[in-house]
Amino acid sequence: MDYGKAAAGVLEQIGGKENLVSAAHCATRLRLVIADNSKCNKKALEDVEGVKGVFEASGQLQIIFGTGVVNKVYDAFIAQAGVQAASKEDVKAAAAQKGNPIQRFVKTLGDIFVPIIPAIVASGFLMGIMESLNFLINNGYINLSNESTLFVLANLFSNTAYTFLPILIGFSGAKVFGGNPFLGAVIGMIMVHPNLQNAWTTSGGIENYLDVFGLWQVPMVGYQGHVISVIIAVFVMAVIEKWLHKHVPAMLDLFITPLVSVFVTGFLTLTIIGPVFNVVETGIISGIQALISLPFGIGSLVMGALYAPTVVTGIHHMYTIIDLGQLQEFGYTYWLPLASAANIAQGAAALAVALKTRNSKLKSMALPSSLSAFMGITEPAIFGVNMRFFRPFICACIGGGCGAMFASITGLGATGTGVTGIFGILLCLNAPVKYIIMFLISAGVAFILTWLFGYKDTEPETANGAPAPQSEPEIKKAEIKAPQTGDITVASPLAGKAVSLKDTGDETFAAEVLGKGFAVDPAEGRVVAPCAGTVSTLMGHAVGLECDNGLELLIHIGIDTVQLNGKHYTPHVQEGQHVASGDLLMEFDIPAIQKAGYRTITPVIVTNSEDFADVTGNLGDIRAMDCLMTVKR
């Protein structure tokens, strides 16, 4: 591969060095901040030599080259661009400053809600299961006591995350706004204090009002299930706390700052912020519900079609507010089925492209991307396939709109939020048949439209319609890579629990853009060489190996841990060093990394897996040097 040519191609397609704000790289991709995105030709970037994928995230243009390649392309890139190498923090800061106020607002909401989604999902799943069991019991389909120990406890657990949602938001929001997260949690506790009337019991009337200095009265009602008022309250608390830290003497700071921050914010929250923004939030939710409840599902058709474009802009991160607001107001979210229909449709469109194309590179990207979208992770399908050809994206939008329209007409609602696609049915166990029909409509319309009108294969052909023959250099390259006999066993470089790449939560790994493999959720912070080979890449958070058996491996310790810039990692090898199987490669501090807000789950990728027939794995508890996966020739 000509790294200089690849770098020149990237520089040309992003609009030249004048359009480059900052550049850095991690173990697998270039991370660029672009001044004017309209000057960037993403479709042409996909065709640059060595590029495996292009997408935008957190204000950065991320161009995937893969381990062992990206660093060489990067060196050539900064030399040609005439810029200095930047740290990942510099690029992240530049990306944050580049966003407009709306983008920064949406990103803030995403930063608050993404960490607490697992808790919301857990409660939502359990609520769906309990509602289904109650339906079956009440209609005589099953003989099960709803007073049994397990049933009573499960019923108790099912709504916990929603009952104490303000506490979760308070903790997460304070971290985002730069305040003390535990003080943020206290603000959340104040808003659901047991001395306040539970918000879900107000249908019978409000029991008590508080007279505020004889000027106005506010209802003494909690904020269970509310979102906007909690975010505003925690923001105010963080502003007060940071101001006090700057102006209170150090010897008094520990006592005065927490006391004043909590008391002033609590007073403002219960007397002004809560009552005012409760009305605002109710109005927003009612307006959205009125839109998606328009006759014949017209409103939902429009919103289902427009959902995917909002994913492109990043606005979808704010939709959790709608879901939680509807759950508070109606007991169900009618928005989540719309989102699920849109995501399913994007997966179906990518699947149509995968099955129709004869381009092996596109097929290897489109097929896993479609499966990822069916699981609810749509970025690989949208950015890597559908938006690239545009018409599949439009076909998917139409399919999503049709599925959303059906969901609206039939009144399909979900008991929780956070999960769409195939597993979204677990949040709709109150109406599983409706969900399945919605799934089939969304996928069917998107697939058929894409197959018929959305994608025309452009793979070079000969006059008789057969694929064009390989050039002589390509034939020689294929001969050199001709597989040998015998499967290859890859040992686990860590002790812990082996899981699928989809469990990493990272779209690039989940879609197998960098290659097939598995991940290990580590039990201890030691990484050893799974096989003999040469260290091809060594970064603070990742190790690349060119193994003597012909495999090329990437061990990526943690998700998005490039932001740590090597902090909490201790390498024990150098690039170019030959290691034996079992040699210690790196140590890392699991508690410190997790405290910094990053997951330590570690993908182990066969980056040249396209040279092999398949990669299979052994999931579950695993020790270092046990068999993690088998590479089939």
Side-chain angles (χ1 to χ4, degrees), residues 529-584:
C531 55
T534 302
V535 179
S536 59
T537 300
L538 182 64
M539 300 192 70
H541 64 294
V543 181
L545 291 175
E546 292 183 358
C547 302
D548 294 347
N549 56 21
L551 294 182
E552 296 175 7
L553 298 179
L554 169 65
I555 306 169
H556 195 286
I557 309 165
I559 302 302
D560 208 29
T561 44
V562 61
Q563 310 295 346
L564 293 173
N565 223 26
K567 188 177 180 181
H568 309 311
Y569 293 85
T570 305
H572 290 272
V573 292
Q574 298 177 342
E575 280 192 15
Q577 179 179 336
H578 190 274
V579 296
S581 177
D583 281 356
L584 180 62

Tab-separated table of all heavy atoms in Angstrom, residues 529-584:
chain	number	residue	atom	x	y	z
A	529	ALA	N	0.637	-12.042	25.198
A	529	ALA	CA	0.627	-12.357	23.769
A	529	ALA	C	-0.113	-13.675	23.543
A	529	ALA	O	0.271	-14.698	24.108
A	529	ALA	CB	2.055	-12.455	23.245
A	530	PRO	N	-1.170	-13.664	22.727
A	530	PRO	CA	-1.917	-14.906	22.482
A	530	PRO	C	-1.171	-15.872	21.570
A	530	PRO	O	-1.542	-17.029	21.464
A	530	PRO	CB	-3.205	-14.408	21.825
A	530	PRO	CG	-2.829	-13.104	21.200
A	530	PRO	CD	-1.776	-12.498	22.074
A	531	CYS	N	-0.134	-15.377	20.890
A	531	CYS	CA	0.652	-16.215	20.001
A	531	CYS	C	2.003	-15.538	19.780
A	531	CYS	O	2.188	-14.366	20.128
A	531	CYS	CB	-0.062	-16.429	18.662
A	531	CYS	SG	-0.509	-14.876	17.849
A	532	ALA	N	2.936	-16.269	19.234
A	532	ALA	CA	4.242	-15.695	18.924
A	532	ALA	C	4.113	-14.763	17.722
A	532	ALA	O	3.372	-15.045	16.773
A	532	ALA	CB	5.246	-16.806	18.635
A	533	GLY	N	4.834	-13.646	17.764
A	533	GLY	CA	4.766	-12.716	16.650
A	533	GLY	C	5.523	-11.446	16.948
A	533	GLY	O	6.221	-11.327	17.955
A	534	THR	N	5.332	-10.459	16.068
A	534	THR	CA	6.020	-9.181	16.176
A	534	THR	C	5.022	-8.081	16.507
A	534	THR	O	3.927	-8.038	15.932
A	534	THR	CB	6.738	-8.842	14.849
A	534	THR	OG1	7.660	-9.885	14.541
A	534	THR	CG2	7.481	-7.519	14.976
A	535	VAL	N	5.398	-7.214	17.444
A	535	VAL	CA	4.535	-6.096	17.819
A	535	VAL	C	4.560	-5.074	16.684
A	535	VAL	O	5.570	-4.410	16.451
A	535	VAL	CB	5.011	-5.442	19.130
A	535	VAL	CG1	4.112	-4.264	19.487
A	535	VAL	CG2	5.024	-6.462	20.264
A	536	SER	N	3.451	-4.962	15.972
A	536	SER	CA	3.382	-4.053	14.821
A	536	SER	C	2.880	-2.668	15.201
A	536	SER	O	3.198	-1.680	14.556
A	536	SER	CB	2.461	-4.646	13.745
A	536	SER	OG	1.156	-4.866	14.263
A	537	THR	N	2.053	-2.595	16.256
A	537	THR	CA	1.477	-1.334	16.713
A	537	THR	C	1.460	-1.329	18.230
A	537	THR	O	1.072	-2.321	18.853
A	537	THR	CB	0.038	-1.155	16.200
A	537	THR	OG1	0.039	-1.172	14.781
A	537	THR	CG2	-0.560	0.162	16.682
A	538	LEU	N	1.875	-0.227	18.807
A	538	LEU	CA	1.818	-0.090	20.258
A	538	LEU	C	1.385	1.330	20.591
A	538	LEU	O	2.106	2.291	20.330
A	538	LEU	CB	3.179	-0.390	20.893
A	538	LEU	CG	3.209	-0.319	22.429
A	538	LEU	CD1	2.305	-1.389	23.025
A	538	LEU	CD2	4.631	-0.473	22.946
A	539	MET	N	0.156	1.439	21.125
A	539	MET	CA	-0.349	2.728	21.579
A	539	MET	C	-0.715	2.583	23.044
A	539	MET	O	-0.674	1.489	23.607
A	539	MET	CB	-1.555	3.163	20.746
A	539	MET	CG	-1.257	3.313	19.268
A	539	MET	SD	-2.595	4.136	18.393
A	539	MET	CE	-2.452	5.804	19.042
A	540	GLY	N	-1.071	3.677	23.667
A	540	GLY	CA	-1.364	3.630	25.085
A	540	GLY	C	-2.430	2.638	25.455
A	540	GLY	O	-2.423	2.072	26.545
A	541	HIS	N	-3.364	2.388	24.541
A	541	HIS	CA	-4.530	1.570	24.857
A	541	HIS	C	-4.684	0.363	23.943
A	541	HIS	O	-5.697	-0.341	24.044
A	541	HIS	CB	-5.787	2.434	24.708
A	541	HIS	CG	-6.006	2.901	23.302
A	541	HIS	ND1	-5.145	3.766	22.672
A	541	HIS	CD2	-6.959	2.589	22.390
A	541	HIS	CE1	-5.573	3.981	21.434
A	541	HIS	NE2	-6.675	3.281	21.249
A	542	ALA	N	-3.734	0.107	23.065
A	542	ALA	CA	-3.915	-0.961	22.078
A	542	ALA	C	-2.567	-1.552	21.663
A	542	ALA	O	-1.542	-0.866	21.675
A	542	ALA	CB	-4.656	-0.431	20.847
A	543	VAL	N	-2.619	-2.838	21.301
A	543	VAL	CA	-1.434	-3.545	20.817
A	543	VAL	C	-1.813	-4.280	19.537
A	543	VAL	O	-2.845	-4.957	19.487
A	543	VAL	CB	-0.916	-4.569	21.851
A	543	VAL	CG1	0.341	-5.263	21.330
A	543	VAL	CG2	-0.630	-3.900	23.186
A	544	GLY	N	-0.981	-4.139	18.506
A	544	GLY	CA	-1.169	-4.888	17.267
A	544	GLY	C	-0.056	-5.907	17.123
A	544	GLY	O	1.105	-5.628	17.421
A	545	LEU	N	-0.411	-7.117	16.667
A	545	LEU	CA	0.569	-8.194	16.502
A	545	LEU	C	0.495	-8.762	15.095
A	545	LEU	O	-0.594	-8.998	14.561
A	545	LEU	CB	0.300	-9.330	17.499
A	545	LEU	CG	0.545	-9.085	18.987
A	545	LEU	CD1	0.102	-10.313	19.784
A	545	LEU	CD2	2.010	-8.778	19.250
A	546	GLU	N	1.657	-8.964	14.478
A	546	GLU	CA	1.754	-9.761	13.263
A	546	GLU	C	2.263	-11.125	13.690
A	546	GLU	O	3.450	-11.312	13.976
A	546	GLU	CB	2.696	-9.091	12.268
A	546	GLU	CG	2.159	-7.785	11.703
A	546	GLU	CD	3.086	-7.170	10.671
A	546	GLU	OE1	4.171	-7.747	10.430
A	546	GLU	OE2	2.740	-6.103	10.117
A	547	CYS	N	1.371	-12.083	13.765
A	547	CYS	CA	1.692	-13.385	14.346
A	547	CYS	C	2.474	-14.249	13.353
A	547	CYS	O	2.300	-14.135	12.128
A	547	CYS	CB	0.420	-14.101	14.779
A	547	CYS	SG	-0.548	-13.162	15.982
A	548	ASP	N	3.292	-15.124	13.884
A	548	ASP	CA	4.088	-16.023	13.045
A	548	ASP	C	3.210	-16.983	12.259
A	548	ASP	O	3.630	-17.523	11.237
A	548	ASP	CB	5.073	-16.821	13.920
A	548	ASP	CG	6.124	-15.927	14.570
A	548	ASP	OD1	6.234	-14.754	14.150
A	548	ASP	OD2	6.816	-16.393	15.496
A	549	ASN	N	1.971	-17.219	12.723
A	549	ASN	CA	1.066	-18.139	12.033
A	549	ASN	C	0.277	-17.475	10.904
A	549	ASN	O	-0.597	-18.096	10.303
A	549	ASN	CB	0.107	-18.788	13.024
A	549	ASN	CG	-0.695	-17.764	13.829
A	549	ASN	OD1	-0.846	-16.613	13.416
A	549	ASN	ND2	-1.192	-18.176	14.990
A	550	GLY	N	0.558	-16.185	10.625
A	550	GLY	CA	-0.100	-15.488	9.517
A	550	GLY	C	-1.246	-14.595	9.928
A	550	GLY	O	-1.765	-13.827	9.107
A	551	LEU	N	-1.664	-14.649	11.184
A	551	LEU	CA	-2.753	-13.787	11.642
A	551	LEU	C	-2.226	-12.389	11.963
A	551	LEU	O	-1.081	-12.213	12.371
A	551	LEU	CB	-3.402	-14.364	12.902
A	551	LEU	CG	-4.146	-15.688	12.784
A	551	LEU	CD1	-4.750	-16.053	14.122
A	551	LEU	CD2	-5.231	-15.620	11.716
A	552	GLU	N	-3.093	-11.409	11.785
A	552	GLU	CA	-2.825	-10.047	12.230
A	552	GLU	C	-3.879	-9.709	13.272
A	552	GLU	O	-5.071	-9.730	12.984
A	552	GLU	CB	-2.887	-9.074	11.049
A	552	GLU	CG	-1.813	-9.339	9.999
A	552	GLU	CD	-1.959	-8.458	8.768
A	552	GLU	OE1	-2.829	-7.544	8.799
A	552	GLU	OE2	-1.236	-8.685	7.786
A	553	LEU	N	-3.445	-9.435	14.493
A	553	LEU	CA	-4.356	-9.244	15.608
A	553	LEU	C	-4.281	-7.815	16.143
A	553	LEU	O	-3.211	-7.202	16.167
A	553	LEU	CB	-4.030	-10.210	16.754
A	553	LEU	CG	-4.149	-11.704	16.476
A	553	LEU	CD1	-3.758	-12.496	17.719
A	553	LEU	CD2	-5.555	-12.068	16.048
A	554	LEU	N	-5.430	-7.312	16.587
A	554	LEU	CA	-5.508	-6.042	17.298
A	554	LEU	C	-6.148	-6.318	18.653
A	554	LEU	O	-7.247	-6.872	18.728
A	554	LEU	CB	-6.355	-5.024	16.532
A	554	LEU	CG	-6.719	-3.744	17.315
A	554	LEU	CD1	-5.464	-2.933	17.638
A	554	LEU	CD2	-7.718	-2.895	16.543
A	555	ILE	N	-5.461	-5.924	19.720
A	555	ILE	CA	-5.997	-6.041	21.078
A	555	ILE	C	-6.256	-4.620	21.555
A	555	ILE	O	-5.325	-3.881	21.854
A	555	ILE	CB	-5.013	-6.764	22.009
A	555	ILE	CG1	-4.613	-8.122	21.415
A	555	ILE	CG2	-5.615	-6.946	23.399
A	555	ILE	CD1	-3.447	-8.778	22.126
A	556	HIS	N	-7.531	-4.223	21.583
A	556	HIS	CA	-7.920	-2.836	21.875
A	556	HIS	C	-8.473	-2.798	23.300
A	556	HIS	O	-9.615	-3.168	23.546
A	556	HIS	CB	-8.976	-2.368	20.870
A	556	HIS	CG	-9.184	-0.890	20.841
A	556	HIS	ND1	-9.850	-0.210	21.828
A	556	HIS	CD2	-8.808	0.057	19.935
A	556	HIS	CE1	-9.897	1.073	21.533
A	556	HIS	NE2	-9.267	1.263	20.391
A	557	ILE	N	-7.677	-2.313	24.249
A	557	ILE	CA	-8.018	-2.412	25.670
A	557	ILE	C	-8.954	-1.278	26.066
A	557	ILE	O	-8.521	-0.157	26.346
A	557	ILE	CB	-6.747	-2.397	26.528
A	557	ILE	CG1	-5.745	-3.437	26.002
A	557	ILE	CG2	-7.080	-2.677	27.988
A	557	ILE	CD1	-4.353	-3.256	26.528
A	558	GLY	N	-10.245	-1.576	26.099
A	558	GLY	CA	-11.240	-0.579	26.477
A	558	GLY	C	-11.904	0.062	25.273
A	558	GLY	O	-11.434	-0.064	24.135
A	559	ILE	N	-13.004	0.751	25.523
A	559	ILE	CA	-13.780	1.404	24.476
A	559	ILE	C	-13.601	2.920	24.586
A	559	ILE	O	-13.832	3.511	25.638
A	559	ILE	CB	-15.274	1.049	24.591
A	559	ILE	CG1	-15.451	-0.473	24.515
A	559	ILE	CG2	-16.073	1.738	23.501
A	559	ILE	CD1	-14.907	-1.108	23.245
A	560	ASP	N	-13.149	3.513	23.487
A	560	ASP	CA	-12.904	4.965	23.423
A	560	ASP	C	-11.832	5.405	24.415
A	560	ASP	O	-11.743	6.575	24.770
A	560	ASP	CB	-14.199	5.750	23.672
A	560	ASP	CG	-14.172	7.122	22.977
A	560	ASP	OD1	-13.497	7.234	21.941
A	560	ASP	OD2	-14.814	8.056	23.483
A	561	THR	N	-10.995	4.458	24.846
A	561	THR	CA	-9.945	4.774	25.820
A	561	THR	C	-8.774	5.503	25.184
A	561	THR	O	-7.815	5.862	25.881
A	561	THR	CB	-9.432	3.484	26.485
A	561	THR	OG1	-9.253	2.468	25.489
A	561	THR	CG2	-10.419	2.987	27.523
A	562	VAL	N	-8.851	5.750	23.873
A	562	VAL	CA	-7.853	6.602	23.235
A	562	VAL	C	-7.807	7.968	23.916
A	562	VAL	O	-6.755	8.632	23.946
A	562	VAL	CB	-8.166	6.752	21.725
A	562	VAL	CG1	-9.511	7.403	21.516
A	562	VAL	CG2	-7.090	7.561	21.026
A	563	GLN	N	-8.954	8.385	24.488
A	563	GLN	CA	-9.012	9.694	25.136
A	563	GLN	C	-8.113	9.775	26.369
A	563	GLN	O	-7.747	10.870	26.809
A	563	GLN	CB	-10.461	10.012	25.546
A	563	GLN	CG	-11.494	9.828	24.451
A	563	GLN	CD	-11.317	10.783	23.285
A	563	GLN	OE1	-10.579	11.751	23.395
A	563	GLN	NE2	-11.975	10.510	22.172
A	564	LEU	N	-7.729	8.624	26.937
A	564	LEU	CA	-6.870	8.629	28.122
A	564	LEU	C	-5.412	8.907	27.785
A	564	LEU	O	-4.601	9.173	28.670
A	564	LEU	CB	-6.982	7.276	28.845
A	564	LEU	CG	-8.345	6.980	29.489
A	564	LEU	CD1	-8.382	5.558	30.017
A	564	LEU	CD2	-8.631	7.966	30.607
A	565	ASN	N	-5.076	8.800	26.487
A	565	ASN	CA	-3.722	9.125	26.036
A	565	ASN	C	-2.650	8.314	26.769
A	565	ASN	O	-1.582	8.824	27.108
A	565	ASN	CB	-3.445	10.620	26.208
A	565	ASN	CG	-2.723	11.196	25.006
A	565	ASN	OD1	-2.843	10.680	23.899
A	565	ASN	ND2	-1.973	12.256	25.211
A	566	GLY	N	-2.950	7.051	27.059
A	566	GLY	CA	-1.980	6.173	27.687
A	566	GLY	C	-2.002	6.178	29.195
A	566	GLY	O	-1.304	5.370	29.825
A	567	LYS	N	-2.779	7.057	29.808
A	567	LYS	CA	-2.860	7.102	31.270
A	567	LYS	C	-3.512	5.829	31.791
A	567	LYS	O	-4.498	5.354	31.226
A	567	LYS	CB	-3.664	8.327	31.705
A	567	LYS	CG	-3.647	8.585	33.205
A	567	LYS	CD	-4.417	9.853	33.542
A	567	LYS	CE	-4.399	10.130	35.045
A	567	LYS	NZ	-5.170	11.355	35.385
A	568	HIS	N	-2.979	5.270	32.853
A	568	HIS	CA	-3.428	4.037	33.499
A	568	HIS	C	-3.008	2.780	32.733
A	568	HIS	O	-3.477	1.690	33.056
A	568	HIS	CB	-4.949	4.019	33.698
A	568	HIS	CG	-5.498	5.249	34.361
A	568	HIS	ND1	-4.964	5.768	35.526
A	568	HIS	CD2	-6.517	6.088	34.001
A	568	HIS	CE1	-5.628	6.861	35.863
A	568	HIS	NE2	-6.568	7.092	34.966
A	569	TYR	N	-2.132	2.910	31.730
A	569	TYR	CA	-1.617	1.765	30.973
A	569	TYR	C	-0.090	1.704	31.116
A	569	TYR	O	0.580	2.744	31.068
A	569	TYR	CB	-1.965	1.878	29.490
A	569	TYR	CG	-3.444	1.757	29.182
A	569	TYR	CD1	-4.280	2.872	29.251
A	569	TYR	CD2	-4.002	0.544	28.813
A	569	TYR	CE1	-5.631	2.778	28.978
A	569	TYR	CE2	-5.353	0.431	28.527
A	569	TYR	CZ	-6.165	1.553	28.611
A	569	TYR	OH	-7.495	1.442	28.331
A	570	THR	N	0.448	0.500	31.267
A	570	THR	CA	1.897	0.309	31.375
A	570	THR	C	2.344	-0.731	30.357
A	570	THR	O	2.121	-1.938	30.547
A	570	THR	CB	2.296	-0.159	32.784
A	570	THR	OG1	1.795	0.764	33.755
A	570	THR	CG2	3.820	-0.261	32.904
A	571	PRO	N	2.958	-0.317	29.236
A	571	PRO	CA	3.422	-1.290	28.237
A	571	PRO	C	4.694	-1.995	28.709
A	571	PRO	O	5.507	-1.419	29.431
A	571	PRO	CB	3.702	-0.419	27.009
A	571	PRO	CG	3.992	0.937	27.575
A	571	PRO	CD	3.168	1.077	28.819
A	572	HIS	N	4.858	-3.242	28.278
A	572	HIS	CA	6.046	-4.021	28.628
A	572	HIS	C	6.801	-4.489	27.385
A	572	HIS	O	7.714	-5.314	27.494
A	572	HIS	CB	5.649	-5.230	29.484
A	572	HIS	CG	5.193	-4.854	30.868
A	572	HIS	ND1	6.055	-4.706	31.935
A	572	HIS	CD2	3.959	-4.570	31.351
A	572	HIS	CE1	5.381	-4.362	33.015
A	572	HIS	NE2	4.095	-4.270	32.692
A	573	VAL	N	6.401	-3.975	26.227
A	573	VAL	CA	7.070	-4.321	24.973
A	573	VAL	C	7.246	-3.047	24.154
A	573	VAL	O	6.732	-1.980	24.518
A	573	VAL	CB	6.264	-5.359	24.163
A	573	VAL	CG1	6.247	-6.705	24.860
A	573	VAL	CG2	4.832	-4.861	23.923
A	574	GLN	N	7.957	-3.163	23.046
A	574	GLN	CA	8.164	-2.044	22.135
A	574	GLN	C	7.748	-2.463	20.730
A	574	GLN	O	7.720	-3.657	20.400
A	574	GLN	CB	9.633	-1.616	22.127
A	574	GLN	CG	10.142	-1.118	23.469
A	574	GLN	CD	11.621	-0.768	23.429
A	574	GLN	OE1	12.344	-1.192	22.523
A	574	GLN	NE2	12.078	0.008	24.402
A	575	GLU	N	7.438	-1.468	19.891
A	575	GLU	CA	7.133	-1.770	18.491
A	575	GLU	C	8.335	-2.423	17.837
A	575	GLU	O	9.475	-2.015	18.049
A	575	GLU	CB	6.740	-0.494	17.737
A	575	GLU	CG	5.322	-0.062	17.972
A	575	GLU	CD	4.876	1.034	17.004
A	575	GLU	OE1	5.575	1.231	15.985
A	575	GLU	OE2	3.842	1.680	17.262
A	576	GLY	N	8.063	-3.434	17.024
A	576	GLY	CA	9.133	-4.151	16.336
A	576	GLY	C	9.702	-5.303	17.137
A	576	GLY	O	10.484	-6.107	16.601
A	577	GLN	N	9.313	-5.427	18.402
A	577	GLN	CA	9.846	-6.500	19.250
A	577	GLN	C	9.135	-7.815	18.952
A	577	GLN	O	7.923	-7.864	18.784
A	577	GLN	CB	9.648	-6.125	20.728
A	577	GLN	CG	10.132	-7.182	21.717
A	577	GLN	CD	9.921	-6.734	23.152
A	577	GLN	OE1	9.836	-5.545	23.444
A	577	GLN	NE2	9.843	-7.689	24.068
A	578	HIS	N	9.902	-8.888	18.896
A	578	HIS	CA	9.316	-10.211	18.712
A	578	HIS	C	9.001	-10.797	20.080
A	578	HIS	O	9.820	-10.754	20.998
A	578	HIS	CB	10.260	-11.142	17.947
A	578	HIS	CG	9.598	-12.427	17.532
A	578	HIS	ND1	9.522	-13.529	18.349
A	578	HIS	CD2	8.965	-12.778	16.377
A	578	HIS	CE1	8.880	-14.503	17.732
A	578	HIS	NE2	8.528	-14.062	16.515
A	579	VAL	N	7.789	-11.328	20.235
A	579	VAL	CA	7.352	-11.868	21.518
A	579	VAL	C	6.962	-13.326	21.358
A	579	VAL	O	6.566	-13.771	20.273
A	579	VAL	CB	6.162	-11.067	22.089
A	579	VAL	CG1	6.574	-9.643	22.399
A	579	VAL	CG2	4.978	-11.083	21.118
A	580	ALA	N	7.100	-14.047	22.447
A	580	ALA	CA	6.673	-15.442	22.473
A	580	ALA	C	5.254	-15.520	23.020
A	580	ALA	O	4.772	-14.604	23.698
A	580	ALA	CB	7.620	-16.259	23.339
A	581	SER	N	4.587	-16.611	22.736
A	581	SER	CA	3.235	-16.824	23.240
A	581	SER	C	3.249	-16.782	24.768
A	581	SER	O	4.047	-17.454	25.416
A	581	SER	CB	2.708	-18.172	22.756
A	581	SER	OG	1.431	-18.432	23.280
A	582	GLY	N	2.370	-15.955	25.343
A	582	GLY	CA	2.280	-15.838	26.792
A	582	GLY	C	3.089	-14.710	27.391
A	582	GLY	O	2.963	-14.422	28.592
A	583	ASP	N	3.933	-14.042	26.586
A	583	ASP	CA	4.726	-12.914	27.095
A	583	ASP	C	3.795	-11.767	27.511
A	583	ASP	O	2.773	-11.498	26.853
A	583	ASP	CB	5.696	-12.407	26.028
A	583	ASP	CG	6.930	-13.284	25.906
A	583	ASP	OD1	7.055	-14.241	26.701
A	583	ASP	OD2	7.759	-13.021	25.019
A	584	LEU	N	4.162	-11.067	28.589
A	584	LEU	CA	3.368	-9.927	29.057
A	584	LEU	C	3.532	-8.756	28.092
A	584	LEU	O	4.642	-8.303	27.834
A	584	LEU	CB	3.820	-9.515	30.464
A	584	LEU	CG	3.074	-8.320	31.091
A	584	LEU	CD1	1.591	-8.624	31.264
A	584	LEU	CD2	3.707	-7.961	32.430
